[in-house]
Amino acid sequence: MNLPVPVITIGLLIASNLFMTVAWYGHLKFKTAPIVAVILISWGIAFFEYLMQVPANRIGYGHFSAAQLKTIQEVISLSVFALFSWLYLGEKLGWQHAVGFSLICLGAWFVFHDWS
């Protein structure tokens, strides 16, 4: 079965962002853990992020421009982070987060809109 390039690219970027969010922010619940251990564990988790992120960009480039790939990655990253901070860290998301995210999505629309 051949999946369309956007499906593969976006799927890999979602998976990579799940790993990266855990690598960057998962340790915040473990404040007593030694910083060296946290860094090494985070590097180990980030390795898996790169295993998905690099192929996502390789596969997606050509179908998407580099700016579009980066925009997709940022929107996914913020979406994953918002869910992670709410579900894992127990942080509340307020109206200001919704407004800010909406403005970022508006920016993404501008990147993907064909202005020619």
Side-chain angles (χ1 to χ4, degrees), residues 14-78:
I14 289 170
S16 75
N17 274 281
L18 289 169
F19 279 99
M20 203 60 183
T21 300
V22 171
W24 283 10
Y25 302 102
H27 62 87
L28 295 178
K29 280 193 164 184
F30 305 98
K31 290 193 161 233
T32 59
I35 192 70
V36 173
V38 168
I39 290 169
L40 293 174
I41 291 167
S42 292
W43 277 353
I45 295 168
F47 171 76
F48 294 100
E49 184 266 344
Y50 278 90
L51 286 178
M52 289 171 243
Q53 213 262 345
V54 171
N57 286 329
R58 276 269 174 117
I59 292 166
Y61 187 65
H63 184 88
F64 298 109
S65 69
Q68 289 173 328
L69 283 169
K70 183 60 178 171
T71 301
I72 294 167
Q73 190 277 327
E74 291 299 334
V75 169
I76 291 170
S77 178
L78 287 171

